[in-house]
Amino acid sequence: MQDENLNDSPSRASASGSDEKYSEFTDQIDIYTLHELHAGRLILDPLEAKKELGDSVAAKLKLTKDGRYVLWPQPTDDPEDPQNWSDRKKNFQLFIVILASIIPDFDNGIGWGGIFFVMLMRRYGRLATLFWTQLIALGLLAGATFAPTLQVFAAMRSLTAFFGTCPQVTGLYTITDLFPFHLQARKINYWTMAVVLSPHLSPFLFGFLDARTTWRWAYGVGCLYGLAVLILIALFLDESLYHRKAYSADHPPVHRRKGSIVQRVKDVVGITGVRQARSDPPWSDICTAILKIAWRPHLFLILFFEAFVFGFSIGINVTITVFFQTPPPFGFGFSQTTVSAIYATPVVAVFIGELLGRYLNDWFMRREIKRNNGVFEAETRLWYLHLLLYWQFPAAYILN
């Protein structure tokens, strides 16, 4: 359903109480980096952009095909800018990342290596970081598959979790690299579906397999899946990191030789990323970025909320087999096949949640932009969480 024009509703001040204007310094505005300086407040209505940015700047802004929204980030005139790629190419790139995002929880569980891989991705790019981490994780998973002892198995599993978790932090970067802001919520919804689905999908599928053969076959199938995704990454995934601060219409970036096998190998293994690595941001900013947000009070509230969501929906996933298969009176005494079938419930629930989130996120965004004079502010997403709270905590209480 299409909304009316964004300016049909009465104008009102910013939700944060500010009425930001940029008109006083329009000659200093860089339209290619403005979205980074004001990421929490984006002007999406073209008419509002004229008021706040001035006619001269607004005339330079690129809009959606229907002229409804201002594009953030602003696509450059460089054909290698990921924002200028075709929709087909963008969606295929996202599809590969989604398949890769299933691997961590599908194979080994939660890892904490993403903290370090974010630093490498910001410096050397997404492609090489994702390729090497998945290659190492695949080798370690194969080691766990053929582990002769429990000690070797535990070591391999731990290391696999460290390296394998990279796709679950690559997704956000790739989506913001490829898609304009007004499409990002929907694309993130697809990617998040894969992340949330994976810990339920593997016990659902492999529980039936494990009941009829050994656990090594389950891990073997995981290796084959990881190999298939690794091949897709090596052959088809393109680097989406683009330095917009360095873009100039007079001095565009040097184009790489397309179609060259040698250049493709350099891109995948990271030689290109190392050579093109910039000093902006410096290593000091990259390494301390997590500390710069850790002290903020609202981050604690977000983590507190996510701890409950994760614990009651995904964390319990690792213990469900214990009390379902344990004989009474401490458990239910279900067979392994029955327990595997039970995992179909969260699998179906994830798909239902994706459908709801796909349309509700966009509806809330359009609604709040319309109410907020054509401006989107990050806080408006919080209203959407209220709907989840009404269901999440009562369901978790009943379950426990």
Side-chain angles (χ1 to χ4, degrees):
M1 180 178 65
Q2 299 293 327
D3 285 349
E4 298 82 14
N5 187 280
L6 293 173
N7 281 322
D8 287 350
S9 61
S11 170
R12 71 178 182 88
S14 164
S16 60
S18 64
D19 190 15
E20 287 193 58
K21 301 293 178 184
Y22 307 90
S23 308
E24 300 176 358
F25 49 94
T26 55
D27 54 335
Q28 303 177 15
I29 294 178
D30 182 0
I31 61 174
Y32 300 118
T33 59
L34 183 63
H35 68 287
E36 297 178 359
L37 300 176
H38 302 276
R41 183 182 186 275
L42 294 178
I43 305 171
L44 294 180
D45 178 22
L47 296 180
E48 183 65 19
K50 289 184 179 180
K51 295 179 184 178
E52 299 198 21
L53 302 177
D55 291 339
S56 60
V57 175
K60 301 177 184 178
L61 296 177
K62 297 180 180 179
L63 312 179
T64 55
K65 292 181 179 180
D66 59 3
R68 191 177 187 185
Y69 297 127
V70 178
L71 295 174
W72 299 111
Q74 278 288 293
T76 66
D77 295 325
D78 181 8
E80 290 197 5
D81 181 353
Q83 293 286 330
N84 291 326
W85 293 351
S86 66
D87 291 341
R88 183 176 182 179
K89 181 176 180 179
K90 289 181 181 180
N91 290 324
F92 185 58
Q93 299 292 300
L94 178 60
F95 175 70
I96 296 175
V97 173
I98 287 175
L99 293 180
S101 299
I102 295 177
I103 291 177
D105 291 338
F106 188 78
D107 289 346
N108 49 68
I110 300 299
W112 49 279
I115 297 175
F116 300 97
F117 301 136
V118 164
M119 302 178 190
L120 296 177
M121 281 189 294
R122 292 185 62 188
R123 187 73 171 195
Y124 302 117
R126 308 1 172 174
L127 174 57
T129 305
L130 186 60
F131 171 77
W132 282 111
T133 54
Q134 296 316 288
L135 178 62
I136 296 173
L138 177 60
L140 293 169
L141 184 63
T145 304
F146 299 102
T149 64
L150 178 60
Q151 291 80 1
V152 174
F153 175 80
M156 291 295 178
R157 283 267 294 177
S158 299
L159 292 172
T160 306
F162 178 83
F163 289 99
T165 193
C166 182
Q168 294 188 344
V169 296
T170 307
L172 280 176
Y173 281 95
T174 303
I175 290 170
T176 54
D177 289 341
L178 298 177
F179 299 97
F181 171 79
H182 69 281
L183 296 178
Q184 288 175 9
R186 175 169 293 196
K187 304 303 181 180
I188 290 174
N189 204 56
Y190 296 142
W191 167 70
T192 306
M193 178 189 67
V195 175
V196 177
L197 178 66
S198 57
H200 307 297
L201 187 62
S202 54
F204 169 62
L205 297 177
F206 295 152
F208 297 106
L209 177 64
D210 192 42
R212 291 161 176 78
T213 182
T214 67
W215 60 270
R216 296 184 190 274
W217 276 102
Y219 274 74
V221 174
C223 289
L224 294 176
Y225 177 78
L227 177 61
V229 173
L230 184 64
I231 292 174
L232 288 175
I233 293 172
L235 296 181
F236 302 109
L237 190 66
D238 289 330
E239 179 56 63
S240 62
L241 176 63
Y242 188 82
H243 297 286
R244 299 186 177 279
K245 291 183 180 180
Y247 177 81
S248 170
D250 299 326
H251 300 88
V254 177
H255 291 184
R256 296 190 296 270
R257 292 180 300 162
K258 294 185 177 181
S260 170
I261 297 178
V262 174
Q263 183 60 51
R264 178 62 189 174
V265 173
K266 290 180 179 179
D267 292 347
V268 172
V269 301
I271 296 176
T272 303
V274 172
R275 288 178 177 176
Q276 296 183 351
R278 300 176 56 83
S279 58
D280 183 21
W283 271 116
S284 57
D285 287 354
I286 293 175
C287 296
T288 59
I290 188 173
L291 300 177
K292 292 180 180 179
I293 64 171
W295 65 271
R296 300 175 186 269
H298 52 275
L299 177 64
F300 172 78
L301 296 177
I302 294 174
L303 294 177
F304 182 78
F305 172 79
E306 286 297 327
F308 276 94
V309 172
F310 181 89
F312 288 127
S313 60
I314 300 177
I316 198 174
N317 187 72
V318 299
T319 59
I320 192 172
T321 56
V322 176
F323 59 82
F324 272 169
Q325 289 188 256
T326 302
F330 301 104
F332 293 90
F334 294 155
S335 67
Q336 188 168 355
T337 300
T338 303
V339 174
S340 299
I342 290 175
Y343 278 100
T345 301
V347 170
V348 173
V350 169
F351 283 103
I352 294 175
E354 190 280 326
L355 287 173
L356 293 175
R358 182 192 309 180
Y359 298 105
L360 284 177
N361 269 308
D362 288 347
W363 181 81
F364 266 98
M365 181 191 73
R366 293 193 297 265
R367 174 178 176 270
E368 293 305 317
I369 290 173
K370 194 173 180 180
R371 294 180 56 195
N372 201 30
N373 201 29
V375 176
F376 176 85
E377 294 189 330
E379 292 82 358
T380 59
R381 295 283 190 199
L382 297 177
W383 291 105
Y384 181 45
L385 295 180
H386 293 172
L387 296 177
L388 303 180
L389 293 176
Y390 289 129
W391 296 93
Q392 181 80 28
F393 288 104
Y397 178 78
I398 294 173
L399 179 62
N400 283 273

